[in-house]
Each structure stands twice: as structure tokens, then as C-alpha cells.
Amino acid sequence: MKLWKRLIPLTLAMTLLAGCAQGAAGSNGSESLGLDEIYVDQVALGEVLIEDEAVALAGAPAVNNMLLPVASGKAVKENTRVTIDYSNTQDGYVMVNFTGTTKTRLKVQVIGPATTYTYNLNVGEWTTFPLSDGNGDYTVSVLENTTGSKYAQVLAAKFKVSLADEFAPFLRPNQYVNYAVAANTIAKAKELAGGETDHLKLVEIIYNYVVNNFTYDKQLAATVKSGYLPVLDNVLAAKKGICFDYAGLMTGMLRSLGVPCKLVVGYAGTAYHAWISVWSAETGWVDGAIYFDGSVWQRMDPTFASSSKGSEAIMQYIGDGKNYSVKYVY
């Protein structure tokens, strides 16, 4: 085969990768974020410096299918402005409610044993954050913007986590995978599943539905700003989205069916990207893979597989774990 014919699929792959890396501006569109480390470990004058996150394009789990988080009030740290509820850390989550008033931006930092996660926080509503690092010591801090990229701490809570099982953080809804308010997504997942209960079969069913029915939203990729979160029912209705939407929708659908699933954010090559990792009793955690043709496991990357229509070159790229590096797991 001539060289140029072999290069066409690879060129397509690189084009898609570039698309996933676009749109990493600040919330007001005035900042431009690179793909380097975006959280700066620096404290000045009692303030924390936080730059906006770029947008991303063992036994059976002892839990039920629909597991909605709740602020139980049994273990709470609070002041007049904010409440941190860590009553259910064994189930893999913590909840925060900013009850005060502010016109400035709010952040929540979840510092686990190995990783620091930084999230946006809205005023006046409970928001759920996963304890993705598993067992160990955590600090959860609520931070309020003071000037530029500097944030002051409003409240912090420290606690030790001992999960009921390793799946707890990856079955429930959270800020990034909020299937609790996605009735149409839950209904569609149930419809597609039918009477199937095997985890790998369910993964294959949901994966094939997304890959064969959704298209990559190039316009959104070019304009998306920091703080973007997938709204699962909107993605389902539009049948298009960016990497983050594909992965978020699949994760929400699978979790609603009781299948442990991680939404993974990291790099595909040099592009900031999102994909998923699933669990089954036969395989344990399959780090970003799905059974494609009855004999070969490939990395589970619904964005690239859908956009390329499953070209051989793209599948080879997806299947090579050296092309992917994990930064965060939600």
C-alpha cells in the first residue's frame, strides 16, 4: 500500500486529538490555558493560587443500581457560610453546600492520598464530589476567589476514608457524572439493556449505541470554556458532543445500570482528552478497554471510535496504551 494511503487514517486521528484539546479558555474567555500542569502549588498572603482546569475533550460491588448521594448530617464541618458533609465517605463521596452569599467564584479542592482535584462550586445547592483516590486521608477545602487566580479558604474538613468497596466512588452520581438529574438518560440505558445483566454485554451495548449514533461537535470543541460540565440529557437529545460529553454520557448510563465505571481524564498523545474504564467480574478493572470483535480488547475511547467510524488505524491507536496517560479519575 502506498505511504499516503496509510497516512490518511493517522492524519484523521491527529485531527481529532487536536479538536479535544481546544477550548481551554477561562470562564470569561479572557484566559488561555496551556496543557502543562494547571494547578500551581503556591500559597501567598494566606491565599491559594488556582488556575482553571482545562476542559477534557476483588468481588462484585456490594451496592444497588441506583445509588443517590445524601447529606446525612452525621459528620459535618460548617460555619455561617458553608457546610461540608462527610457522613458517607465509606460510600465514596463528600457533599458541600455554600449557604452564604457571594458574587465571586467558588472552588472546592479534594486533596486525597495521591491526587488533588479542583472543582467549581455553585451557591445554594448540595454538590457531590467523589473520593477517587480510595482509602486514606483527605482534606476538603472550600475556596473563594479574591483576585485573579487567587483564592482564600472559607472552610476545610479533614477525615480518613475507608471505602465499603473499591467501586463506591464509581457507581454514584457526582458533579461530572450527574445521572441523578438525567431521567431520559437513565430510561434510555434501561431500554438498551433490556433484560441483560452481564456487565461486559451491557458495556458493549451502551458503547455501540454511542459510537454509532453520536457525532463530534467541532463547534463546541472550538468554543468550550473552563468549567464546562456535561448535561447528560442534553447530550443524549443532541446526539453530539465533545470528548467529555461522550465519556460522561456513557459513564452515567453504565452506572445507572449498576456497572462500575470511571470517567478518566488525561492525555491522548499531547491532547487533553476523556475516556472511560469499566469493571467486570471476569476481567476486574479493564483500564479503558472494550471487546470489539470477539477476540481483541481495545481501549474504550468512544469519541475517536465514533468520529473515525472505527477505522483500522484509529482502533490501533486507541488500543495502544502508550498513547494514553491518566491524570484524573471521576
Side-chain angles (χ1 to χ4, degrees), residues 22-266:
Q22 294 178 0
S27 64
N28 60 6
S30 62
E31 300 175 24
S32 178
L33 299 181
L35 293 177
D36 299 327
E37 289 298 317
I38 55 177
Y39 298 127
V40 180
D41 184 13
Q42 178 180 338
V43 177
L45 301 176
E47 296 175 310
V48 179
L49 183 65
I50 303 175
E51 295 187 12
D52 288 336
E53 176 63 53
V55 174
L57 308 169
V63 287
N64 296 320
N65 284 1
M66 289 294 292
L67 298 167
L68 303 183
V70 59
S72 304
K74 297 177 181 178
V76 170
K77 184 75 175 288
E78 62 183 340
N79 59 24
T80 58
R81 304 186 70 202
V82 63
T83 301
I84 302 173
D85 190 310
Y86 53 99
S87 306
N88 299 292
T89 58
Q90 74 280 0
D91 292 326
Y93 66 91
V94 62
M95 300 184 74
V96 177
N97 188 2
F98 194 92
T99 55
T101 59
T102 183
K103 294 182 179 180
T104 61
R105 299 178 66 187
L106 299 169
K107 299 278 188 181
V108 170
Q109 277 197 333
V110 179
I111 304 174
T115 311
T116 296
Y117 290 83
T118 304
Y119 303 90
N120 291 329
L121 179 67
N122 293 326
V123 174
E125 60 186 50
W126 283 106
T127 305
T128 304
F129 304 101
L131 302 172
S132 303
D133 264 1
N135 297 334
D137 294 321
Y138 283 77
T139 299
V140 174
S141 301
V142 179
L143 305 165
E144 186 174 21
N145 186 237
T146 54
T147 180
S149 296
K150 292 182 178 181
Y151 285 75
Q153 180 176 289
V154 180
L155 184 67
K158 295 183 178 182
F159 47 85
K160 184 178 290 291
V161 171
S162 180
L163 296 175
D165 59 54
E166 64 177 301
F167 313 104
F170 309 115
L171 277 165
R172 290 170 172 80
N174 59 48
Q175 188 188 58
Y176 279 30
V177 189
N178 196 5
Y179 70 82
V181 294
N184 294 337
T185 296
I186 293 171
K188 187 63 179 180
K190 185 176 181 180
E191 173 196 328
L192 292 169
E196 186 59 68
T197 57
D198 180 83
H199 281 186
L200 290 182
K201 289 292 186 182
L202 289 171
V203 170
E204 188 173 5
I205 290 168
I206 300 299
Y207 177 89
N208 286 335
Y209 170 73
V210 172
V211 166
N212 293 324
N213 291 280
F214 286 68
T215 58
Y216 188 73
D217 191 336
K218 294 180 181 178
Q219 181 178 359
L220 178 59
T223 59
V224 66
K225 292 178 172 58
S226 177
Y228 176 84
L229 294 173
V231 179
L232 302 190
D233 276 359
N234 291 352
V235 177
L236 180 69
K239 287 189 167 52
K240 63 180 180 180
I242 57 174
C243 314
F244 203 6
D245 295 315
Y246 277 71
L249 181 65
M250 283 202 64
T251 302
M253 294 178 87
L254 288 169
R255 288 184 186 181
S256 76
L257 296 172
V259 179
C261 184
K262 299 175 181 178
L263 191 162
V264 186
V265 174

